[in-house]
Amino acid sequence: MGILDGKRILVTGVLTEASFAFHVAKLAQQEGATVVLTGFGRMSLVERISGKLPSRAPVIELDVQNEEHLSTLAERVGEHVDGLDGVVHSVAFAPQSALGGAFLDASYDDVSKAVHVSAYSLKSLTMATLPLMPDGGSVVGMDFDAQVAWPGYDWMGVAKAGLEATSRYLAKYLGERGIRVNLISAGPVKTMAARSIPGFEQFEGVWDKRAPLGWDLGDPEPAARGVVALLSDWFPKTTGEVIHVDGGVHAVGA
């Protein structure tokens, strides 16, 4: 018997087997959940990755900037499950011009896209799936520590700060409906998304030297376990929280 027995979970952002979202979906199934995935763009790839889960999960197309996709999401998810108990937000994007040390030169158009996809989408995804959670549920987003400025992370760092603020306001306004909204602030892992960040290799030395518990950049499972725990009933009164799964780097100085 798993901690997600009987729960219905929507997981966004699965792209490769290395992604946080894939490991969340895999662990959720192993813990007893029925999982539905969303993908964007390379749908055939997401379908193929779904086949590598313990049980193949249905895949729905979702562009978080597409109002039609959002307005029909509940209906399309409802074709596979009769409701939801949890939603995983694992979506982020910033144009290359907003990363890699170009902070002072990035255009507002590029910055606004980063904020829309990486922060505002937590609100739009939550509201789009709200009709499927009439009795409450758990929304969990993937974060990267926005308390400090990181080399090359630039406007994505600003977007992550916006994600953290968005989660707190969602927690405030949706608590009366029984919706918990929390984030897992994960240490860096060599996912496809991470490799697109110029200077990502600079993070390696930081975690190698500073993580009290150590950190493996090739292992997304610790953060995925944190997500699954928050999706479960074991945190019934936790909301608006950012839980760090980073080996302890956030808690120590140089």
Side-chain angles (χ1 to χ4, degrees):
M1 184 172 179
I3 62 172
L4 296 184
D5 250 17
K7 293 199 178 294
R8 303 148 299 177
I9 307 296
L10 180 69
V11 180
T12 66
V14 173
L15 187 57
T16 71
E17 287 181 86
S19 65
F20 283 120
F22 175 83
H23 284 264
V24 169
K26 179 181 176 181
L27 283 170
Q29 287 187 342
Q30 291 171 344
E31 291 297 325
T34 298
V35 172
V36 178
L37 306 179
T38 76
F40 170 60
R42 302 167 70 180
M43 295 300 293
S44 60
L45 176 58
V46 184
E47 291 279 3
R48 190 156 63 248
I49 295 300
S50 172
K52 297 187 177 183
L53 291 169
S55 299
R56 178 179 287 276
V59 178
I60 294 169
E61 186 174 16
L62 175 64
D63 174 359
V64 293
Q65 292 188 290
N66 185 314
E67 289 301 322
E68 183 180 353
H69 283 191
L70 290 164
S71 65
T72 61
L73 182 61
E75 179 183 348
R76 291 183 291 136
V77 172
E79 294 174 4
H80 304 283
V81 288
D82 58 0
L84 287 174
D85 301 287
V87 175
V88 179
H89 178 279
S90 186
V91 180
F93 173 77
Q96 286 294 302
S97 59
L99 300 165
F103 184 87
L104 300 178
D105 300 316
S107 70
Y108 179 72
D109 284 347
D110 287 344
V111 170
S112 65
K113 185 164 190 176
V115 172
H116 190 168
V117 175
S118 309
Y120 182 81
S121 65
L122 179 64
K123 191 279 290 189
S124 51
L125 175 65
T126 301
M127 296 308 293
T129 53
L130 201 57
L132 296 171
M133 298 186 283
D135 300 318
S138 176
V139 177
V140 185
M142 296 304 305
D143 188 23
F144 186 72
D145 196 349
Q147 299 176 92
V148 297
W150 295 102
Y153 208 49
D154 294 351
W155 286 102
M156 182 59 82
V158 175
K160 289 297 187 183
L163 178 73
E164 293 179 3
T166 301
S167 71
R168 288 189 288 270
Y169 278 98
L170 285 170
K172 171 181 171 60
Y173 288 114
L174 295 179
E176 64 184 13
R177 305 193 199 188
I179 304 293
R180 296 175 283 126
V181 185
N182 297 288
L183 301 178
I184 290 291
S185 181
V189 171
K190 291 180 178 177
T191 62
M192 182 177 290
R195 287 195 295 270
S196 70
I197 300 170
F200 175 80
E201 67 279 355
Q202 296 180 60
F203 293 133
E204 280 190 61
V206 173
W207 262 261
D208 287 346
K209 294 174 184 175
R210 290 177 52 196
L213 293 175
W215 188 254
D216 181 355
L217 278 87
D219 186 9
E221 187 166 323
R225 285 179 175 269
V227 174
V228 169
L230 286 172
L231 289 169
S232 78
D233 294 329
W234 285 97
F235 289 86
K237 295 297 180 182
T238 299
T239 194
E241 188 63 83
V242 178
I243 296 179
H244 292 80
V245 183
D246 65 351
V249 166
H250 75 282
V252 299

